[in-house]
Amino acid sequence: MNEKFRRAGDRVATGMRDLFEVVPENLFSLLAARHRAVYFRALMVLRECYQRELTFSRGDLVTYLISRMERDLVDWSEEEEAADDATEGRRESSSAEQRTPAAVGAEGPLTLDLLLVREDEPEPGSLSGRAHALVRRLIETGWLYAITDSDGFGETLVVPRYASILLDALHAVVEPAQQRHNALVYSIYSNLRTANDERDEFMLQALQSAHDATIALRENLRTLLHNIHTYYQNLHLREDVRELLAEHFDSYQLSVAIAAYHPLKTFDSVYRFRPRILQILRDWLGLPSLLQQMAAALKQQRDDLDDTAARGEVVRLIHFISDTFESMDDLLREIDHRNTAYNRASVERLQYLLNSDRDIKGKLVQLLRSLPPWHSQVGSAQLEAMRELPLYEVHYLDPEALYSEPVRRERGQPQPLRRPSGAEDAAFEQEARELMERANALFSQQRIAEFILSQMDERGRLPTPVMRLDEWDDFIRTIVAVVRGDEPEMPYVIEWDEASRSVVVGPYRIPLLTFLRKEGAEWIGRTNTSP
């Protein structure tokens, strides 16, 4: 009784139930037993059976155990395990009076039907007998409940909720799921965008789903960060080059870099969808009627909230998503820093192990490195002694051997262009003026406008495939017409081809587009203007 009151007092103080008020006290004894590896594989088989079968009996689970764990069952013995449990004082009596409350409530009193079923079990030494014994062990420790069927001639095995959660957690430890950061970000954006477009009674559910996905995204990123740090901390434990390379390429690159880090950096979904997510949430905060609508929906889910508390909870969910995405830059920056630090430390550790190799190979490498060049004339007793060994020098051609360092050209002080000697100022200005007049005559705004308008049809359209380019100047006029197409003085506009294709007109290749005459437009530009 005192223990009961003490646990109740602890629950009031911490606001949390005691773990062993929910689960049997010997639940984790399987993972501390001598054959804990066998029990762990049995739990994984139980999880597989639970996920594949809607309901399953003792015989179904025995079939799974035999097909997945035949070699383990050969090595496992219930008698040895029972002797260990008796020695350590961890196994409880199998009588009905000493069962745990959870097991008694699940199996019920020991009936004649159950006795008949267990009397029909095979011999203990066979595979089937050991599998049945393993199932009994799972039931005794609370990982399974055996419930008698309504007809009284069979039983159904039930996995309690806490066991299902623990089975998934244990499986996630040994078989980590691929972290889909980009899918979570898009899920958040998709939920919020759909709710923002519909504005119906499901907006609260969309907000709650986005909130849950945000928590999952943050925890996945934290897990990635801590996982990288774990590999970084374990570098000093690697004393062998092969071990270090195997961990880096077979473990880190596959489970961290390729599976999580590279998709996070290449898809870039955080920066792509973050502005849209934040904009939707800011719009919601600025609409009191929308917040009141979601608060009313929340009150239907939770009777303990009043109007003010429900509205505050909705605002809290919105602020949590906003704050998480606004502060995500620091987390992503720290992930990049940890990944860079690990790669650098891994290379440094590899160099250290290679240079500090103390076996015969390592000593020979150090000895050869300390020698002068093989064909040098330096007097060295060590070199003379090494020449008597069956050693030879190897030369090979690599890409660096054909590379020569470019020589930077020194630039002098730039000098202005000088007029040719003997040229008079008046003649030079006259020649420049004539050049400008010829350019204006060929490529002025007026000539360009007349060139385009003269080739348009009665609807005021001129596609480039039907243009007439009789000479080189016509090709130049077409280029100038395209360049000046956005000038307000020009009497036409340009309609571009969406595929940005080109077309060949005569000997020239020009863009595929259409010149369109403006409504009631004629040439109103300035004459004698420079091109």
Side-chain angles (χ1 to χ4, degrees):
M1 185 65 68
N2 293 334
E3 180 68 16
K4 179 178 180 181
F5 282 113
R6 185 186 65 80
R7 291 185 176 180
D10 293 341
R11 187 191 316 144
V12 173
T14 60
M16 182 182 300
R17 297 178 62 186
D18 182 57
L19 174 63
F20 294 99
E21 293 181 6
V22 182
V23 305
E25 292 186 356
N26 62 340
L27 179 72
F28 301 103
S29 61
L30 296 182
L31 302 178
R34 187 178 70 169
H35 296 284
R36 53 185 173 272
V38 177
Y39 288 129
F40 175 76
R41 284 190 283 272
L43 292 176
M44 294 298 98
V45 174
L46 171 61
R47 178 181 179 272
E48 179 185 0
C49 180
Y50 175 64
Q51 290 188 336
R52 290 189 176 185
E53 308 293 339
L54 294 178
T55 59
F56 59 95
S57 63
R58 189 186 299 256
D60 296 331
L61 182 55
V62 166
T63 303
Y64 271 88
L65 291 173
I66 294 176
S67 63
R68 302 292 192 275
M69 300 177 57
E70 180 177 356
R71 184 170 298 276
D72 293 320
L73 291 175
V74 172
D75 299 333
W76 179 78
S77 173
E78 185 184 19
E79 290 76 11
E80 296 178 1
E81 195 65 38
D84 292 341
D85 290 344
T87 302
E88 299 173 6
R90 289 180 290 119
R91 185 172 185 178
E92 298 181 357
S93 175
S94 60
S95 62
E97 293 80 3
Q98 296 181 359
R99 289 182 186 169
T100 60
V104 172
E107 290 191 85
L110 191 61
T111 62
L112 180 60
D113 297 325
L114 292 181
L115 289 175
L116 292 175
V117 172
R118 295 178 184 178
E119 287 177 357
D120 293 337
E121 290 182 0
E123 292 296 328
S126 63
L127 286 179
S128 180
R130 295 186 178 189
H132 276 86
L134 196 55
V135 173
R136 286 197 302 270
R137 193 80 167 105
L138 296 176
I139 295 175
E140 291 172 1
T141 52
W143 291 95
L144 279 174
Y145 294 159
I147 300 178
T148 305
D149 294 341
S150 58
D151 54 12
F153 291 100
E155 64 178 2
T156 300
L157 298 182
V158 176
V159 178
R161 181 175 179 273
Y162 63 80
S164 174
I165 296 173
L166 291 175
L167 290 175
D168 290 338
L170 293 175
H171 183 268
V173 171
V174 295
E175 295 290 341
Q178 184 177 1
Q179 299 177 358
R180 303 178 182 178
H181 310 104
N182 304 288
L184 288 173
V185 176
Y186 181 75
S187 175
I188 296 169
Y189 167 67
S190 179
N191 285 328
L192 296 178
R193 183 192 62 181
T194 303
N196 189 56
D197 294 340
E198 299 294 337
R199 299 289 178 91
D200 54 13
E201 65 275 11
F202 297 104
M203 290 191 65
L204 177 64
Q205 285 76 5
L207 179 62
Q208 291 172 336
S209 299
H211 174 266
D212 296 340
T214 303
I215 294 178
L217 174 64
R218 186 185 63 175
E219 295 306 315
N220 283 346
L221 292 177
R222 286 182 177 178
T223 301
L224 174 61
L225 176 62
H226 296 166
N227 201 5
I228 296 175
H229 184 68
T230 301
Y231 279 96
Y232 180 86
Q233 290 296 111
N234 292 337
L235 280 176
H236 73 282
L237 302 176
R238 307 295 171 246
E239 299 293 342
D240 183 70
V241 174
R242 293 183 179 179
E243 183 182 4
L244 177 62
L245 292 176
E247 181 181 65
H248 180 76
F249 289 104
D250 298 338
S251 180
Y252 181 81
Q253 290 294 329
L254 294 179
S255 63
V256 177
I258 297 178
Y261 182 75
H262 287 170
L264 177 65
K265 301 301 294 182
T266 53
F267 284 97
D268 198 17
S269 60
V270 174
Y271 297 103
R272 178 180 179 182
F273 295 109
R274 181 172 61 177
R276 310 179 196 179
I277 293 173
L278 295 177
Q279 184 60 46
I280 292 174
L281 296 176
R282 293 191 190 103
D283 294 342
W284 287 6
L285 288 175
L287 297 174
S289 59
L290 199 62
L291 297 178
Q292 189 62 34
Q293 174 185 343
M294 288 189 285
L298 183 60
K299 284 182 59 180
Q300 295 179 359
Q301 297 179 3
R302 298 176 54 181
D303 298 335
D304 58 323
L305 298 179
D306 56 11
D307 293 339
T308 303
R311 188 177 185 277
E313 179 65 16
V314 171
V315 173
R316 187 193 67 82
L317 296 177
I318 295 176
H319 279 299
F320 175 82
I321 301 175
S322 301
D323 295 342
T324 300
F325 275 92
E326 289 177 352
S327 62
M328 199 165 289
D329 285 337
D330 297 334
L331 183 56
L332 296 176
R333 194 179 302 112
E334 183 64 20
I335 291 175
D336 293 338
H337 173 71
R338 291 278 179 88
N339 179 70
T340 304
Y342 167 77
N343 288 315
R344 182 172 59 250
S346 180
V347 173
E348 292 175 354
R349 182 66 178 175
L350 179 62
Q351 292 176 346
Y352 169 77
L353 293 177
L354 290 174
N355 295 330
S356 62
D357 196 351
R358 297 305 178 186
D359 57 5
I360 296 177
K361 181 183 67 175
K363 292 179 180 179
L364 285 176
V365 170
Q366 292 182 1
L367 185 62
L368 292 175
R369 286 181 177 177
S370 64
L371 290 176
W374 191 256
H375 297 291
S376 64
Q377 302 300 324
V378 179
S380 172
Q382 183 182 9
L383 181 60
E384 294 298 330
M386 295 292 290
R387 282 174 177 169
E388 298 179 0
L389 299 176
L391 301 177
Y392 56 92
E393 189 175 6
V394 177
H395 295 274
Y396 60 92
L397 184 66
D398 64 344
E400 299 296 333
L402 303 178
Y403 176 76
S404 59
E405 187 72 22
V407 179
R408 183 181 295 273
R409 185 179 62 182
E410 297 184 0
R411 295 182 178 272
Q413 186 68 23
Q415 300 294 329
L417 294 177
R418 296 182 179 180
R419 183 177 300 177
S421 58
E424 299 181 358
D425 292 343
F428 183 80
E429 293 178 358
Q430 178 65 25
E431 185 176 352
R433 189 179 305 108
E434 292 177 356
L435 179 62
M436 294 297 296
E437 289 177 355
R438 287 198 302 269
N440 287 335
L442 293 175
F443 310 116
S444 64
Q445 285 185 340
Q446 181 178 0
R447 287 300 180 90
I448 297 300
E450 292 174 352
F451 172 73
I452 297 299
L453 294 178
S454 63
Q455 298 192 43
M456 288 186 175
D457 56 17
E458 62 276 5
R459 295 180 300 171
R461 296 174 56 86
L462 175 60
T464 50
V466 301
M467 292 186 66
R468 299 187 304 274
L469 303 180
D470 300 329
E471 54 185 0
W472 172 257
D473 291 341
D474 293 340
F475 175 65
I476 301 300
R477 291 190 185 97
T478 304
I479 297 176
V480 177
V482 173
V483 173
R484 289 184 166 178
D486 58 347
E487 296 181 359
E489 295 88 355
M490 305 306 288
Y492 59 84
V493 294
I494 297 177
E495 183 182 89
W496 292 88
D497 177 58
E498 295 181 356
S500 301
R501 294 173 293 178
S502 60
V503 62
V504 176
V505 179
Y508 310 109
R509 179 179 293 274
I510 58 177
L512 180 59
L513 52 87
T514 303
F515 294 95
L516 302 176
R517 183 172 57 203
K518 296 179 181 178
E519 292 295 333
E522 296 181 358
W523 170 242
I524 57 173
R526 301 180 300 275
T527 59
N528 297 328
T529 57
S530 60

